[in-house]
Structure formats: structure tokens, C-alpha cells
Amino acid sequence: MTSLTSEEPMRTDFTNRLKQHGGLVALAVILIFNILVTPNFLQAQTLAVNISQVATIAIVAMGMTLVIATGGIDLSVGAVMALSGALAPLIFLSDFGTTYPVLGLLAALFFPLVAALVCGLFNGAIVAVLKVQPIIATLILFISGRGIAQVLTNGNLQTFSNPEFSYLGTGKILGFPFQGWLAIAIACLLFWLVNRTIFGRYLLAIGGNERAAKLSGGPVRRVKIGAYVICSVLSGLAGLIVVAINSASDAARNGNLMELDAIAAAVVGGALLQGGKAPIFGAILGAVIIQLVKYTLLANGVEDEVALIAKAVIILAAVYIQQARKE
């Protein structure tokens, strides 16, 4: 009898630890599987490709994590990527951009991010001021944003050769892809913002109990709008990176289904859909898992459509673990 009663707490403790560190366990399982099964997985080129792909997911997922921390959701991230990605080539390929290449390049980096910022203000104002449900509010840009991008480009694929702009997606520092360094820098900045500033404290407080945050005098509207603005600007940046990687802008495909990847990465990384928690580095972990699952399936001959089912299963598992933690 004594041995049975002593084993029960150990089993419970092991289960709790597994729930708390489920993301790391999943990552370890995927890595071990790939090392044993997937050809050429440990080659440097494979690592560079995965870092290039995961950086855009991670950047958008970190913004999505902030929105989810307020108890919201942003379905428009993919459309914002398409919009910013469409604007950049239009600017540096314009008469002004070709006449003044340096100014054209700076404008091609600046104005798409401004457009993304405006999209974030739009989403945030509808959610925080008009009190529209986030999933409905962001559905407006989800539908119209990509359409605007296609109208701007007449639905055409924009190809270009601009080494300076392409550095955003193909450049390397110390052998490490530039966008990987960029993702790490953004993660450090957002981690500081969430954990060391008043904005971060109210961000988590709003997700935990919005009414209490408001009664305590917190700037609820400004913080919620700020979360959507940051999410949109990061989505705009991710759109620029994707265009820079491909040296082409396709408004119909740029950022397509990114909202699915970003939400999945945020949830797998530990963000609570009810709000109140913003694990920034967890979002990166979630993005790595999402990317590796997709890479694993494709590298082993599984069709791309199956990856969508796998992502859905991952989200379901993450939500199940969240519910188990609450119980």
C-alpha cells in the first residue's frame, strides 16, 4: 500500500512537468525523428533554409502573441503581409525609385510599414473603441487587404532585381540569415516590453481581467490598440522579408494562410487563448515546431495539403494541454 501511494504523486508530478514543457518535448521528438529518418537534415543548407522560413512565422507569431494576450485575435496578418509586400516593389520600381535609388529603397522600407501601422490602428480602433469582437473586426482586413494589394498590382506578379532590398531576405551575418538575427532582436525587444514596462503589465492585466484593469485606471484602449499596431507592423515586416527572399511579389500568395501559422505558433508556444499571458520566446519555439513539422512532411514525400491537417492537429493538442493545465 505504501509503495502505491508514493508512486501516485510521482506520476502526477511527471504529468504536470510534461504539460508545462510539452513544446520542448515535441521539439525534441521532431529533431530526433529528422536526424534518424530525414536525409541531409543536419546539413548547413537545411539549417539555413529552415531559419529563413521560420523567421517570418516567428516575427508574425510574436505580434499575434501580444494580441492574444489581450484576449483578442488578428486574422488580417496574412493580408497585411500581402499589402506591404505589394507596396515595396511599386515604390522602388517607380520613376522616383529608379531616379533616386537610395531614397527609393528607404521609402520602399518605410511606407509599407506605415501602411501596416494604419491597418493595425484600424483593427485596434474597431476592437477597443467600437467594441467589435476581434475575430469579426480583423475579418474586414482579412477579406479586403489582399484585394487592395491585388488592385494595386493589377493582379500581376512583380519581379525585380534589387540586391540592396533583397539583403532583407537573403543577407547573412556571421553565416546566420539576417532575418534570423532580426527575429531574435525583435524577441528581446518585445520580451523587455512585456516584462519591464507599464504597457506590458496592462497588456497582461487586460487579458486576465479587462474590467479590473479598467477600474484600476489602466489605459485599456491605448494598450489594446498598441497590441494590434505592433502585430500589424511586424506582419508588414514579414511581408517585406518574404518578397525580398523571392525577389518577387505575388499579392495572391504572399502571407497566404499565415494567420493559421501565427496562431498555431503562439498557442503551441504557451499563449492562452483567454489572454493574460504573452510568452514571446515561446512563440519562437512554436514557430520552430510548426516549420519543422511542415519540413518533415515535405522532406519525406508527404503532400503539402497534409501539412495543413498536421497544423490543425497541433493546435488541437495545444488547446487540449491548455485546458488540462486549467483543470
Side-chain angles (χ1 to χ4, degrees):
M1 285 297 292
T2 305
S3 60
L4 288 176
T5 54
S6 63
E7 287 177 0
E8 189 63 28
M10 292 178 61
R11 193 179 297 117
T12 303
D13 183 60
F14 175 77
T15 304
N16 289 334
R17 287 179 180 274
L18 190 62
K19 290 175 181 176
Q20 292 294 330
H21 304 288
L24 291 174
V25 174
L27 178 62
V29 170
I30 295 171
L31 288 175
I32 293 171
F33 177 85
N34 277 297
I35 291 171
L36 296 176
V37 175
T38 304
N40 306 319
F41 179 71
L42 292 178
Q43 288 190 358
Q45 186 177 1
T46 302
L47 177 64
V49 169
N50 277 303
I51 290 174
S52 297
Q53 297 293 326
V54 80
T56 51
I57 301 174
I59 289 172
V60 180
M62 286 186 280
M64 185 69 77
T65 297
L66 297 185
V67 171
I68 291 177
T70 67
I73 201 84
D74 189 346
L75 297 182
S76 68
V77 291
V80 173
M81 286 180 64
L83 183 59
S84 67
L87 283 173
L90 286 177
I91 294 172
F92 64 67
L93 292 177
S94 66
D95 292 339
F96 173 81
T98 52
T99 306
Y100 306 100
V102 176
L103 291 177
L105 177 63
L106 293 175
L109 296 173
F110 177 73
F111 286 106
L113 296 182
V114 171
L117 184 149
V118 172
C119 291
L121 281 174
F122 178 80
N123 286 335
I126 292 180
V127 172
V129 179
L130 301 182
K131 307 295 183 186
V132 177
Q133 286 289 327
I135 195 169
I136 302 299
T138 56
L139 192 61
I140 298 171
L141 272 179
F142 171 81
I143 297 171
S144 62
R146 191 175 299 280
I148 295 171
Q150 289 180 294
V151 168
L152 290 173
T153 59
N154 291 321
N156 297 324
L157 174 69
Q158 301 180 94
T159 58
F160 57 85
S161 176
N162 188 323
E164 290 78 16
F165 181 81
S166 294
Y167 185 85
L168 192 61
T170 58
K172 291 185 177 180
I173 298 177
L174 299 177
F176 194 73
F178 174 75
Q179 62 266 42
W181 290 107
L182 193 59
I184 292 173
I186 292 171
C188 294
L189 179 63
L190 291 182
F191 182 82
W192 170 81
L193 187 71
V194 170
N195 294 282
R196 296 288 186 272
T197 67
I198 295 175
F199 174 87
R201 292 178 184 175
Y202 277 114
L203 184 84
L204 303 181
I206 291 170
N209 190 326
E210 182 173 341
R211 181 174 173 78
K214 189 173 184 179
L215 291 174
S216 67
V220 174
R221 286 184 178 179
R222 292 203 298 272
V223 171
K224 291 180 81 170
I225 292 173
Y228 282 93
V229 167
I230 293 172
C231 183
S232 273
V233 171
L234 291 180
S235 302
L237 178 61
L240 296 180
I241 292 173
V242 171
V243 169
I245 291 173
N246 298 323
S247 291
S249 174
D250 185 353
R253 294 179 61 84
N254 188 5
N256 190 30
L257 296 180
M258 179 55 82
E259 54 280 347
L260 176 63
D261 285 344
I263 294 170
V267 172
V268 170
L272 298 175
L273 291 174
Q274 299 85 352
K277 193 175 178 183
I280 298 300
F281 288 100
I284 293 182
L285 173 64
V288 172
I289 291 174
I290 296 296
Q291 169 60 26
L292 284 181
V293 167
K294 183 178 180 180
Y295 175 82
T296 302
L297 294 173
L298 294 178
N300 289 282
V302 180
E303 294 181 358
D304 192 28
E305 289 76 7
V306 179
L308 297 175
I309 301 174
K311 291 175 188 175
V313 172
I314 291 172
I315 296 174
L316 183 64
V319 172
Y320 170 76
I321 291 174
Q322 286 187 6
Q323 294 298 322
R325 284 176 185 168
K326 289 173 62 179
E327 293 171 0

